[in-house]
Each structure stands twice: as structure tokens, then as C-alpha cells.
Amino acid sequence: MEILFDDVAILTKVKELAEQISVDHVYDSRNTLPPVLICILNGSIHFFSDLVRSMSIDCEIDFLRLKSYEGQDNTGGIKCLKGLELDLKGKRVYIVDDICDSGATMMEALFMVNSRMAEEVKVVTLLKRRNGVGLTDFYGFEIDDQWVYGYGLDNNGLKRNENRIYKL
């Protein structure tokens, strides 16, 4: 096991992302509502909570639980285990996830959010694959095609509680 990102690097990057999103969401005459940040459970829970606590503007939050993996297998399709609760009509939405792998989970999340008539939707991920799909508007770190765990990302359902990100 090799440490890819330690807790100091992660929290520094999360604060940078929070500031970028806060600046991106400028209140103006057409955009008077606070943004909605949606957490894709379970993997992004630590990233999401640190990100929201670091925001310099008010925001609403909601949670969406989509499951695409059984262990390290993502061939079973996307299952929605918890849907959205907030009214998103006319609001700017930031979908927050730990990583965008194949893009299937994010495409499902985007479909669900857009079907609720959000004004604008942006994607925020902690990790982005160098050769991955291009769905991410904001991201923390680029990684190669490798299995990683920690800071919410799991290894067969375990190791989410690690405060660092490790390469398996």
C-alpha cells in the first residue's frame, strides 16, 4: 500500500475547491438562490462534508445514493438506493462525488438532476482519472488508472475511514 495523498494535501485541495465553487456561484440578478450541493453516497461523504464546511457562501445540501460497484466489479448497472428530496427547479446544482470512473454513475446523477429542471449543473470530484471521461467541471487531483481507497473511497466496503488516500 502506498500513500497517494496525505490528510494535509487533501484538506488543502478541498479548501481550494470550496473557494473555486464559491467564486463560481456569483449571486447576480438572474441567480439569487444559493447553490445546491448534492453528495453521491457513500464514497464522497468525507469529501462532501469537508467541502461544505469550507464553503464561503450559503448552500443547500441533498444526498443521492447510487450504487454501481460490487467489490471491484462495476458491470451490474446503476441502482438508486436513495433519491433526491429538494426542489431543484431554477437552481444551480453541484454534484459532488469522490471519483468519476466509467462515468455511468455520474450520467445517472446528471439525468436525475436535470429531470428536476435545475438551471445549471456542474460536477465536482475529488479525483479525476488522467485518461477518464470528461464529465468533471472541478476536481482535486488527477490519478492514473489504479484502484485507490481511503477518505471515503472503499476497498470491498472497508477502509473508507482512512484520512489519507492509498493506492492498492
Side-chain angles (χ1 to χ4, degrees), residues 8 35 74 82 92 97 149:
V8 174
N74 69 346
K82 190 234 174 271
R92 182 173 293 164
D97 204 358
Y149 67 90

Side-chain angles (χ1 to χ4, degrees), residues 9 14 50 71 76 96 101 104 109 119 122 126 146 160 165 167-168:
V14 169
D50 287 341
V96 180
D101 282 317
E119 177 187 304
K122 295 191 177 183
L126 180 61
Q146 57 206 4
R160 290 187 192 277
I165 297 176
K167 174 181 170 181
L168 187 65

Side-chain angles (χ1 to χ4, degrees), residues 40 66-69 78 97 102-110:
I40 305 291
L66 300 174
K67 187 170 184 170
S68 62
Y69 278 92
I78 308 298
D97 204 358
S102 68
T105 301
M106 190 55 67
M107 290 301 292
E108 182 67 21
L110 285 164

Side-chain angles (χ1 to χ4, degrees), residues 87-105:
D87 177 13
L88 304 178
K89 186 175 183 178
K91 297 179 181 178
R92 182 173 293 164
V93 175
Y94 296 87
I95 301 174
V96 180
D97 204 358
D98 50 5
I99 188 169
C100 187
D101 282 317
S102 68
T105 301

Side-chain angles (χ1 to χ4, degrees), residues 71-72 147-150 152-160 166 168:
Q72 293 184 10
W147 190 262
V148 293
Y149 67 90
L153 297 127
D154 74 300
N155 184 19
N156 291 320
L158 302 174
K159 306 293 186 185
R160 290 187 192 277
Y166 297 88
L168 187 65

Side-chain angles (χ1 to χ4, degrees), residues 26-106:
V26 176
Y27 293 98
D28 59 27
S29 60
R30 5 166 243 113
N31 188 27
T32 59
L33 300 171
V36 177
L37 276 72
I38 296 174
C39 177
I40 305 291
L41 297 171
N42 286 344
S44 65
I45 187 66
H46 299 302
F47 172 46
F48 182 81
S49 59
D50 287 341
L51 183 72
V52 169
R53 283 193 306 255
S54 298
M55 298 286 292
S56 62
I57 60 172
D58 287 332
C59 61
E60 291 184 277
I61 64 171
D62 204 349
F63 298 88
L64 183 60
R65 179 140 189 236
L66 300 174
K67 187 170 184 170
S68 62
Y69 278 92
E70 289 293 332
Q72 293 184 10
D73 177 22
N74 69 346
T75 60
I78 308 298
K79 297 177 186 109
C80 181
L81 303 175
K82 190 234 174 271
L84 296 166
E85 296 176 14
L86 288 178
D87 177 13
L88 304 178
K89 186 175 183 178
K91 297 179 181 178
R92 182 173 293 164
V93 175
Y94 296 87
I95 301 174
V96 180
D97 204 358
D98 50 5
I99 188 169
C100 187
D101 282 317
S102 68
T105 301
M106 190 55 67

Side-chain angles (χ1 to χ4, degrees), residues 105-138:
T105 301
M106 190 55 67
M107 290 301 292
E108 182 67 21
L110 285 164
F111 173 77
M112 293 174 82
V113 169
N114 283 319
S115 70
R116 290 177 170 245
M117 300 175 49
E119 177 187 304
E120 184 177 14
V121 183
K122 295 191 177 183
V123 174
V124 182
T125 61
L126 180 61
L127 303 176
K128 175 182 181 251
R129 300 233 186 254
R130 279 187 177 79
N131 298 320
V133 294
L135 296 174
T136 306
D137 297 291
F138 301 93

